[in-house]
Amino acid sequence: MTVRLTPLELMTKLISFPTVSRDSNLPLVDWVEDYLAGHGITSHRYYHPEQPKAALFAHVGPEVEGAVVLSGHTDVVPVDGQPWDTDPFVVTEREAKYFGRGTCDMKGFDALAIWALVEAHHAGVSTPMQLALSFDEEIGCLGAPPMIEAMQGVVPKGGPVIVGEPSMMKAVTGHKGGQGFDTHVVGFEVHSSLLPQGVSAILEGAKVIDFANHRNAENAAAMPSALAAMFDPPYTTWHVGQVQGGTAHNITAKSCKFSMDFRAVPGDDVVALKEAYLAHVAEVERGMQAIHPDTRIAIDTRFNVPPLQPEPDGAAEALARAITGDNGTHVVSYGTEAGQFQAAGYSAVVCGPGDIAQAHQPNEFITVAQFEAGHAFMRDLVARLV
């Protein structure tokens, strides 16, 4: 029988796989699948349709609905250009911290979840447990929805979902959602001295981008709802982080590309938000085409992450609070896969070890104390399921 690895040994192994989102995660998935198989646990995969990536999920305990689902992602952000003091893909312990890419976000939790699944299997739990490891979370939570869909009918429908993003082991019951729209403005080139005869993709793109300024000002001035007031900032925000376009200073730009993103507080109608943006884009496009019919604005949705809504009497929240003893109210402005599980009909909560401030940073770390707190959480969880 395969040796039962400790959570630290599991985290060390997981971090040794450089699963940056742009690269494959299959070596990690292969290893986890083999490790679980060595303990008699059957895993299932959902493969990315175009890239060498896969999600992995597994079920232990009775073949009934209502399993506690431990959810994490396998991808990490790049280390390129970051001034690391140690090898980012080797766990290094010093100053009561574990350093390494993913220790905090979120292979530390993944290791604890794998440990808990194996322990639950050997303990013969009466309430089942599931493990769900996704891909491409770091580039827009792209991998969880198809994984969740793939789980249906392959394993029994789970119940409460604990998404282990770093929350200092606090029960986070709400987070903002978001969508991102790759926007390509196609203009008509003329010499800039003949400006009225051409269509500058950059100048027209600026009109589209200004939508964010107006919306942010309106939202900031409005009275927030009680739920929105819990967030910082307490309203939906719009943002453009990069702009590309133009050929030369004396040519009206043929092309301008950017991504318009919003982060929505729970309660805002995300469909209406998208429609408002598309309506503004259509208005700008009509003005462009009145000058030259070959101009256009193309929109592709890059990501779509639903918000996590606080659940009255939520099973996931109740479980996390029962184990941690946390009775505070916690929401965050970043998005997670918890909103996607909730949208698919699961009860969901965010609760994991580590501080989100360390995520994506050079010399990323999780404190030994937080990792041990996560281990204690898992021990308690397994004991409750026996």
Side-chain angles (χ1 to χ4, degrees):
M1 179 178 292
T2 302
V3 173
R4 295 194 211 179
L5 299 180
T6 67
L8 179 57
E9 289 170 332
L10 288 164
M11 179 172 69
T12 299
K13 187 64 180 180
L14 296 180
I15 286 175
S16 72
F17 296 102
T19 52
V20 176
S21 302
R22 64 182 175 229
D23 300 322
S24 174
N25 73 337
L26 291 182
L28 181 151
V29 170
D30 290 342
W31 185 86
V32 174
E33 183 174 53
D34 288 345
Y35 178 72
L36 294 179
H39 289 282
I41 301 172
T42 299
S43 300
H44 308 273
R45 296 191 187 197
Y46 167 78
Y47 283 97
H48 191 293
E50 299 174 354
Q51 300 179 32
K53 301 177 181 179
L56 186 80
F57 54 94
H59 176 103
V60 300
E63 291 290 318
V64 297
E65 295 187 353
V68 175
V69 183
L70 302 178
S71 166
H73 59 81
T74 60
D75 58 320
V76 296
V77 296
V79 298
D80 309 44
Q82 292 188 334
W84 281 75
D85 296 329
T86 60
D87 186 334
F89 299 108
V90 174
V91 174
T92 303
E93 181 181 358
R94 58 184 171 84
E95 301 171 350
K97 301 171 183 174
Y98 296 124
F99 291 86
R101 173 58 85 221
T103 50
C104 175
D105 185 17
M106 63 179 297
K107 290 181 177 178
F109 177 84
D110 292 346
L112 292 164
I114 293 168
W115 178 88
L117 190 78
V118 170
E119 293 300 309
H121 175 67
H122 287 298
V125 289
S126 57
T127 299
M129 178 185 289
Q130 293 178 0
L131 173 72
L133 299 178
S134 70
F135 58 83
D136 283 354
E137 190 274 347
E138 296 291 7
I139 55 175
C141 294
L142 303 180
M147 175 189 70
I148 295 168
E149 183 177 355
M151 293 170 67
Q152 311 310 309
V154 176
V155 294
K157 179 67 176 285
V161 179
I162 298 173
V163 177
E165 293 282 1
S167 71
M168 297 296 286
M169 298 309 302
K170 303 297 184 183
V172 172
T173 58
H175 66 59
K176 289 188 176 183
Q179 290 190 36
F181 309 103
D182 285 337
T183 305
H184 185 195
V185 184
V186 179
F188 180 71
E189 292 176 307
V190 297
H191 193 282
S192 60
S193 64
L194 302 174
L195 182 67
Q197 299 174 28
V199 178
S200 168
I202 290 177
L203 292 180
E204 299 301 320
K207 296 177 184 177
V208 176
I209 292 172
D210 202 35
F211 174 87
N213 291 323
H214 288 289
R215 279 300 176 115
N216 288 338
E218 291 173 359
N219 292 345
M223 180 67 69
S225 68
L227 180 55
M230 298 168 61
F231 290 84
D232 181 18
Y235 53 86
T236 294
T237 56
W238 294 79
H239 176 251
V240 173
Q242 291 180 305
V243 180
Q244 298 174 329
T247 303
H249 71 91
N250 58 352
I251 303 174
T252 56
K254 174 73 172 179
S255 174
C256 181
K257 296 180 178 181
F258 53 89
S259 180
M260 177 71 77
D261 304 344
F262 69 74
R263 292 184 180 271
V265 293
D268 272 11
D269 185 340
V270 294
V271 174
L273 293 173
K274 178 179 180 178
E275 289 176 348
Y277 179 60
L278 295 181
H280 178 71
V281 167
E283 180 182 356
V284 174
E285 185 181 59
R286 284 193 294 272
M288 294 166 55
Q289 293 180 342
I291 299 172
H292 199 284
D294 291 341
T295 60
R296 66 186 187 279
I297 304 177
I299 303 291
D300 289 313
T301 301
R302 191 176 82 259
F303 67 87
N304 180 10
V305 182
L308 176 65
Q309 304 269 4
E311 304 168 3
D313 303 317
E317 175 185 351
L319 178 61
R321 292 192 187 282
I323 297 176
T324 63
D326 172 34
N327 291 315
T329 300
H330 311 285
V331 298
V332 293
S333 291
Y334 55 84
T336 79
E337 294 172 338
Q340 295 170 322
F341 273 98
Q342 188 180 68
Y346 294 79
S347 174
V349 69
V350 177
C351 186
D355 187 341
I356 192 64
Q358 303 307 321
H360 305 181
Q361 298 298 308
N363 297 323
E364 177 184 346
F365 68 83
I366 187 172
T367 65
V368 173
Q370 272 292 297
F371 193 64
E372 288 302 320
H375 191 188
F377 180 98
M378 293 301 180
R379 286 196 300 267
D380 192 322
L381 174 61
V382 173
R384 289 170 182 265
L385 302 184
V386 173

